[in-house]
Amino acid sequence: MEPQTSHAETAPAHPPLESLAVQPLVNRDYESRPALFYERLRAEYGPVAPVDVLGVPAWLVIGYPQTLDILRDTRGIWSKRLDSWRARREGRVPADWPLLPAFEIDNSVFRDGPDLTRLRGAWSEGLRPFQDRTRTQAKELERAIRRYADELITVLSESGGRTGWTDLSAQYARPLPLMIVGRLLGAEPGRGDDIIMDMWRMLDAGPDAAEAAGRLTAEVAAICQAKLTTPGEDLPSYMIAAVPDLTVDELTREMTMLIGLVGDYTGTLVCNTIAEVIAGDTGVRDSISAGMLPEAVNRAAITSPPMANLTFRWPKTDVRVGRFLIAAGDPVMLSPAAAHLDPAFTGTMTPDSIYSSRAHLAWGAGPHACLGRDLATTITTIAVERLFERFSGLRLALPADQLPWRSSPMMRGLRSLPVTYELADEPRRSPAGPAGGPAAGDAAPEADTPAAAEQKSLVRRVLRMMRLSQP
């Protein structure tokens, strides 16, 4: 089998990227019918297409073998460093390009080589206590996720009796991971509310997003500084212990990324999984009843990966992908969402085996593969489990094809998930929690403890502030 990408040895048979006619990446079809959009690109261009990303021309890789090959980067062709971007070096990237602030954070997403190895080593060791299910920290975190989920469900349903209407995106899927981020950071309880609300404002990209991001960065920096002298049982402290020469600036940049990955990516995965179960075929709902929640989460990651398109990469040398020659320094965006529709991925499998496949690219691959996959899956699995334990009926309040999606070149998630619900008579006991964990019935909220009372107060404050922040 020939390699999917190759070093260029001949002159290109087409104009450079800047001179090609490019299609806008963000458009009506991309938002509401992405499969149609990607297939149209595939029919016209093959596995890579020239697109416009909010005013910046880029290559969009939509073929599964090509995407996997670039992610693995076994030959060291691809760079994630921002200084590899030729147009930016030459001053041709608009200063107000909407994605530039996220790219210029300069965390491990945009590092290569020894820098990347060092930072990922900190992440791997820092996350280990929360992802190793034999560790006390992981068990405590799972209990906290269940308590947060239960209290959110109680609060969102308490005013409507046994039946009612709610937005599971704004009132459940999005706030839950943000509260978990606050716990992972080891933020003091009295400062947690402001951090959570600024995370919400930043990720919501509203008119006060820039101010919220500034406050949030300052607050996260203060937390990281404190952990240097007074470590705790939290992620930044574990990362410092693993890599003692981490600076406050480096740690702040990484923790800012945590907010996006857990707060946005996981919140989107929770919402997309809920929608997949409610709107999906009978087999999806049956998987919930059969205690196969990880399969439902995996299916959602394939059909609606939260990060539909990944941040840019840049080739260090001219390289041919498909029928195009990509020049050194050209921005290249990989599309897991499109790759999952490629016949090279789907053609030899039945629908059931596609949705059960672990060969999908929602978690990336290679040097930049997601290290927090187990954590995100655990959060999502518990969130969906508790929802379907507490409600005997959940139905979309809108036809599935009318659900509003967020327009973003990278993330694809529901802006809202309106549902009607019917409360169960009592929490039903599932055979086991996620990945063989404790039975769901064993995780009832501990309403009499001071920690549980503080948590209830936090949930109510957060939901109240989020409602007040809505236009």
Side-chain angles (χ1 to χ4, degrees):
M1 183 176 180
E2 294 183 359
Q4 302 302 327
T5 63
S6 61
H7 289 287
E9 298 178 355
T10 59
H14 58 81
L17 173 63
E18 294 81 0
S19 301
L20 291 173
V22 292
Q23 299 193 28
L25 175 60
V26 179
N27 58 66
R28 184 174 298 178
D29 282 343
Y30 169 78
E31 179 175 332
S32 59
R33 299 184 295 176
L36 178 65
F37 172 67
Y38 291 131
E39 290 311 302
R40 191 168 63 238
L41 287 180
R42 199 185 317 278
E44 182 171 353
Y45 297 104
V48 60
V51 298
D52 176 278
V53 183
L54 303 181
V56 167
W59 298 103
L60 183 70
V61 180
I62 56 180
Y64 176 84
Q66 293 80 9
T67 300
L68 182 58
D69 183 67
I70 294 171
L71 283 170
R72 287 175 172 167
D73 191 24
T74 56
R75 291 165 291 161
I77 294 174
W78 298 91
S79 172
K80 287 285 288 179
R81 299 186 67 90
L82 199 60
D83 56 14
S84 300
W85 191 356
R86 188 181 66 258
R88 181 174 177 271
R89 291 199 309 266
E90 297 171 357
R92 293 186 286 109
V93 177
D96 60 352
W97 187 54
L99 298 181
L100 199 56
F103 279 37
E104 290 181 335
I105 289 177
D106 191 30
N107 53 35
S108 55
V109 170
F110 296 102
R111 300 287 184 92
D112 290 325
D115 284 347
L116 177 64
T117 300
R118 172 173 167 271
L119 291 172
R120 282 177 66 86
W123 273 109
S124 180
E125 290 304 310
L127 287 169
R128 191 183 307 279
F130 302 106
Q131 297 195 123
D132 180 349
R133 302 185 78 248
T134 67
R135 302 278 288 268
T136 300
Q137 296 91 331
K139 295 175 182 178
E140 290 178 350
L141 182 63
E142 288 191 20
R143 285 194 289 269
I145 296 168
R146 284 190 173 87
R147 290 195 301 266
Y148 281 137
D150 274 315
E151 184 59 24
L152 281 166
I153 293 168
T154 296
V155 173
L156 69 84
S157 62
E158 64 185 359
S159 62
R162 291 191 52 76
T163 61
W165 177 97
T166 192
D167 178 358
L168 287 178
S169 175
Q171 295 184 273
Y172 186 69
R174 295 189 68 192
L176 176 60
L178 295 182
M179 289 186 283
I180 295 164
V181 170
R183 182 184 179 93
L184 290 172
L185 285 173
E188 296 178 9
R191 299 159 73 178
D193 292 13
D194 289 339
I195 291 175
I196 291 169
M197 284 313 303
D198 277 336
M199 284 191 285
W200 171 274
R201 294 183 184 105
M202 182 181 74
L203 296 176
D204 211 38
D208 54 354
E211 292 182 5
R215 289 192 302 267
L216 186 60
T217 299
E219 186 64 32
V220 172
I223 291 173
C224 293
Q225 180 67 59
K227 301 303 177 185
L228 288 175
T229 55
T230 312
E233 303 294 317
D234 49 66
L235 179 59
S237 297
Y238 294 143
M239 291 178 69
I240 293 169
V243 182
D245 64 346
L246 273 180
T247 67
V248 170
D249 182 61
E250 286 178 315
L251 193 57
T252 300
R253 293 172 188 270
E254 298 306 306
M255 292 303 96
T256 302
M257 180 175 68
L258 170 77
I259 293 166
L261 292 180
V262 175
D264 205 10
Y265 189 102
T266 307
T268 299
L269 182 60
V270 171
C271 200
N272 290 0
T273 303
I274 295 168
E276 179 74 23
V277 174
I278 297 175
D281 57 35
T282 304
V284 184
R285 291 179 181 246
D286 287 347
S287 70
I288 298 291
S289 301
M292 297 169 59
L293 273 170
E295 291 301 311
V297 176
N298 194 67
R299 178 183 177 120
I302 293 173
T303 58
S304 297
M307 187 164 277
N309 305 304
L310 306 179
T311 53
F312 289 168
R313 284 162 169 76
W314 299 272
K316 301 174 186 177
T317 184
D318 294 358
V319 60
R320 190 170 295 280
V321 182
R323 64 183 177 87
F324 289 102
L325 182 69
I326 298 178
D330 274 359
V332 175
M333 179 175 272
L334 307 181
S335 178
H340 295 167
L341 298 167
D342 186 353
F345 177 70
T346 64
T348 61
M349 293 189 283
T350 65
D352 286 345
S353 62
I354 290 171
Y355 298 136
S356 296
S357 172
R358 296 305 192 269
H360 65 78
L361 304 176
W363 305 104
H368 284 271
C370 179
L371 291 171
R373 174 176 181 166
D374 290 345
L375 175 62
T377 300
T378 295
I379 294 169
T380 303
T381 303
I382 293 174
V384 177
E385 173 198 56
R386 297 310 300 148
L387 196 70
F388 285 91
E389 288 288 340
R390 296 286 300 277
F391 291 118
S392 61
L394 278 172
R395 296 175 181 83
L396 293 179
L398 287 174
D401 61 0
Q402 293 181 24
L403 291 172
W405 292 86
R406 296 160 54 196
S407 296
S408 164
M410 293 182 294
M411 299 297 295
R412 186 171 190 271
L414 289 164
R415 186 171 297 279
S416 65
L417 181 56
V419 299
T420 58
Y421 63 80
E422 180 180 349
L423 286 170
D425 291 334
E426 59 184 27
R428 292 172 295 167
R429 188 181 183 90
S430 64
D442 294 338
E446 299 170 10
D448 295 331
T449 67
E454 169 60 26
Q455 174 184 279
K456 277 191 176 184
S457 177
L458 170 63
V459 168
R460 293 178 188 277
R461 290 195 304 270
V462 167
L463 286 180
R464 183 173 64 251
M465 287 186 290
M466 286 180 173
R467 284 194 295 269
L468 291 174
S469 71
Q470 297 302 300

